[in-house]
Amino acid sequence: MMYSTRLNSHAYTFPDLRTVLAKASPARSADELAGLAAASEKERAIAQSILADVPLKRFLDEPIIPPERDEVSRLILEQHDAEAFAPVASFTVGEFREWLLADTGDLTTLSPGLTPEMVAATSKIMRNQDLIAAARRCRVTTCFRDTIGLPGRLSTRLQPNHPTDDPRGIAAGILDGLLYGNGDAVIGINPATDNLDNVHRLLGLLDEIRLQHDIPTQSCVLAHVTTTMELIRRGAPVDLVFQSIAGTEAANRSFGIDLAMLREARYMALELSRGTLGDNLMYFETGQGSALSANAHHGVDAQTCEARAYAVARAFSPLLVNTVVGFIGPEYLYDGKQIIRAGLEDHFCGKLLGLPMGCDVCYTNHSEADQNDMDNLLTLLGVAGCTYIMGVPGADDVMLAYQSSSFHDALYLRRVLDLRPAPEFESWLIRMGIFDARNRLSARATGIPLLGNFSALSGELP
């Protein structure tokens, strides 16, 4: 279907809905690299105007990637709940934006009725403050050993990566993070190698630390899903199943996965029954530009592809979803302004689709960004009700070689916005003398109660 309008006697025409979505996107280097971006701010504004008048129902009638070619498109159509969609079924994209900003009701029941393309389209005509205000209304709660996403809470992933997977270095990072109140979302290691024995050893280390100190959290080694499945067969202590995912079948194939594999992995982990409060046990990471980097975007803009990845995620009731927003590099998000915008878009789209959405507030050292940009995004996401952020020693990941958020950043955000960790984890922090009754770092928090047992686990810990 053609989309067109006239301005000052000049006709502007776009051949299909996919093109309108791409031209309406706020500027980012990924779309420029793909040849999909608007040629000017004028063309972008015209595309946004046209998009605002598109009925939400149109996204059901005109799939941007044909379902006969793509299993993610088929999944999106299968997921759609007509009853949940009914309250907004008569709206255009623009009317839906206005309704989101004017209404104050609970959005939880609406999520199954929305498709990724609907929410991506809506985000493209929103200001940053609109994305924050609407996302703040979306509350998504998940459980495994503690409860993630409750109002007034901010969780963190404790990320103790090490360039050689040295257990002493990892244990030191875990101790450091716990003493700053980090780790209630997950203690998660990106392994330097996906070797089965190495990942098994790291899983054992994490589980022993958790058990010795009775920490109400969950662990994860972020290996490929097939590695995790094999380790489940071998009896490894697997809490969460991790996988990077994307918004097209072809992009997921480039990761070595498909939907059937994820279903099998989730079933295998459920059979372990390791959760004490709930069975949300999948952990997914995404990022704008991943489909483009695999040449698997089908002419769809980066942000819409990213939103489609959230349809994959919600099919598996995850505990955590994380947009690693600035990790891919300046070829996809050029500078701090683009990274901030993308982080707010991803958080809004994920939350509106019913996901427990976190964000790795990050950038690579060759991006036109710095820590002040990340402070801005971190604060905006806190106001928007972000579920969790990363906690990396010194904000500098020495294994992945990128800049993220630190243990101290979580303390800052919790303090200025009066946010607290997950309730079960908060009680543990107080019991261990790490936090005081006012949810502040205790003056007595020296780490002595933990240090001896950590030394026993990790050998000659300095």
Side-chain angles (χ1 to χ4, degrees):
M1 177 176 176
M2 299 285 286
Y3 294 83
S4 62
T5 190
R6 297 189 68 84
L7 180 65
N8 297 329
S9 302
H10 183 79
Y12 292 86
T13 302
F14 304 99
D16 50 34
L17 188 52
R18 179 177 57 191
T19 304
V20 176
L21 285 166
K23 301 297 186 185
S25 284
R28 69 206 56 208
S29 50
D31 295 337
E32 294 170 3
L33 180 64
L36 302 174
S40 65
E41 288 300 324
K42 181 178 181 180
E43 185 181 33
R44 179 171 292 111
I46 290 167
Q48 290 172 341
S49 176
I50 291 173
L51 186 60
D53 290 333
V54 173
L56 292 179
K57 288 181 178 178
R58 185 72 51 76
F59 295 97
L60 300 172
D61 300 331
E62 189 180 339
I64 60 172
I65 302 176
E68 59 271 18
R69 294 172 48 197
D70 184 88
E71 69 171 357
V72 176
S73 292
R74 293 194 293 275
L75 175 67
I76 290 168
L77 294 176
E78 291 164 3
Q79 284 179 336
H80 184 254
D81 185 328
E83 184 176 350
F85 183 54
V88 297
S90 64
F91 290 173
T92 63
V93 171
E95 290 168 341
F96 183 49
R97 170 193 171 273
E98 292 173 3
W99 180 82
L100 283 174
L101 296 175
D103 189 76
T104 58
D106 183 12
L107 295 174
T108 306
T109 58
L110 181 63
S111 297
L114 300 176
T115 70
E117 291 84 357
M118 292 176 189
V119 299
T122 306
S123 74
K124 293 175 193 297
I125 62 168
M126 298 176 90
R127 295 170 57 187
N128 286 2
Q129 68 172 244
D130 299 341
L131 298 172
I132 294 167
R136 189 173 176 82
R137 292 178 48 211
C138 304
R139 282 294 168 186
V140 182
T141 304
T142 56
C143 300
F144 191 74
R145 290 198 188 94
D146 57 357
T147 309
I148 309 299
L150 291 170
R153 306 280 176 169
L154 172 73
S155 294
T156 61
R157 170 188 160 190
L158 202 171
Q159 185 170 306
N161 295 342
H162 191 277
T164 62
D165 288 339
D166 184 338
R168 295 176 301 171
I170 289 170
I174 294 172
L175 173 61
D176 193 21
L178 291 173
L179 292 176
Y180 282 101
N182 281 246
D184 52 336
V186 63
I187 302 175
I189 303 168
N190 295 93
T193 171
D194 222 32
N195 175 275
L196 281 166
D197 290 339
N198 179 59
V199 175
H200 199 162
R201 178 171 58 91
L202 294 177
L203 285 168
L205 171 67
L206 290 174
D207 202 49
E208 191 171 354
I209 290 172
R210 181 186 64 80
L211 289 171
Q212 282 205 15
H213 301 287
D214 193 26
I215 308 172
T217 190
Q218 35 285 325
S219 65
C220 185
V221 177
L222 282 68
H224 191 271
V225 66
T226 54
T227 300
T228 303
M229 293 165 73
E230 178 57 30
L231 289 173
I232 291 175
R233 297 185 187 102
R234 296 186 183 190
V238 172
D239 286 347
L240 305 187
V241 175
F242 168 80
Q243 183 54 48
S244 295
I245 57 173
T248 72
E249 178 181 349
N252 283 325
R253 196 183 307 121
S254 77
F255 291 152
I257 63 166
D258 57 23
L259 298 179
M261 182 183 293
L262 295 177
R263 292 188 189 101
E264 181 182 1
R266 180 171 182 268
Y267 175 78
M268 291 174 67
L270 285 170
E271 289 289 290
L272 300 177
S273 299
R274 290 176 59 84
T276 55
L277 296 182
D279 60 4
N280 302 114
L281 50 72
M282 301 297 281
Y283 174 17
F284 296 118
E285 287 193 345
T286 66
Q288 289 193 28
S290 57
L292 174 60
S293 66
N295 195 27
H297 58 94
H298 298 280
V300 178
D301 67 271
Q303 191 248 335
T304 303
C305 278
E306 170 73 3
R308 284 169 56 91
Y310 304 153
V312 176
R314 71 175 175 180
F316 300 97
S317 303
L319 179 76
L320 306 167
V321 179
N322 176 39
T323 170
V324 193
V325 66
F327 183 73
I328 302 183
E331 300 86 355
Y332 301 91
L333 293 169
Y334 178 71
D335 56 14
K337 181 177 181 179
Q338 291 188 11
I339 293 172
I340 289 169
R341 175 68 191 190
L344 295 177
E345 289 170 347
D346 294 350
H347 179 254
F348 162 80
C349 290
K351 278 291 187 67
L352 197 54
L353 289 168
L355 291 175
M357 204 68 197
C359 184
D360 191 343
V361 180
C362 65
Y363 65 101
T364 58
N365 287 317
H366 62 312
S367 298
E368 291 295 324
D370 59 26
Q371 205 61 47
N372 286 327
D373 294 314
M374 298 306 102
D375 285 349
N376 292 341
L377 177 55
L378 177 74
T379 305
L380 294 173
L381 286 168
V383 175
C386 188
T387 300
Y388 72 104
I389 59 170
M390 304 297 110
V392 176
D396 185 355
D397 193 300
V398 295
M399 195 280 282
L400 293 174
Y402 79 118
Q403 308 302 309
S404 185
S405 49
S406 72
F407 303 144
H408 304 76
D409 291 332
L411 287 178
Y412 148 74
L413 201 56
R414 285 170 173 164
R415 183 176 298 124
V416 298
L417 297 178
D418 195 22
L419 301 170
R420 297 152 61 191
E424 301 85 359
F425 192 80
E426 179 185 38
S427 296
W428 179 82
L429 291 170
I430 294 172
R431 186 169 71 249
M432 296 298 292
I434 297 171
F435 275 16
D436 62 23
R438 296 185 305 151
N439 197 42
R440 300 292 180 93
L441 274 182
S442 172
R444 299 181 293 107
T446 64
I448 297 301
L450 294 174
L451 188 56
N453 286 337
F454 271 74
S455 298
L457 283 171
S458 55
E460 299 294 324
L461 182 65

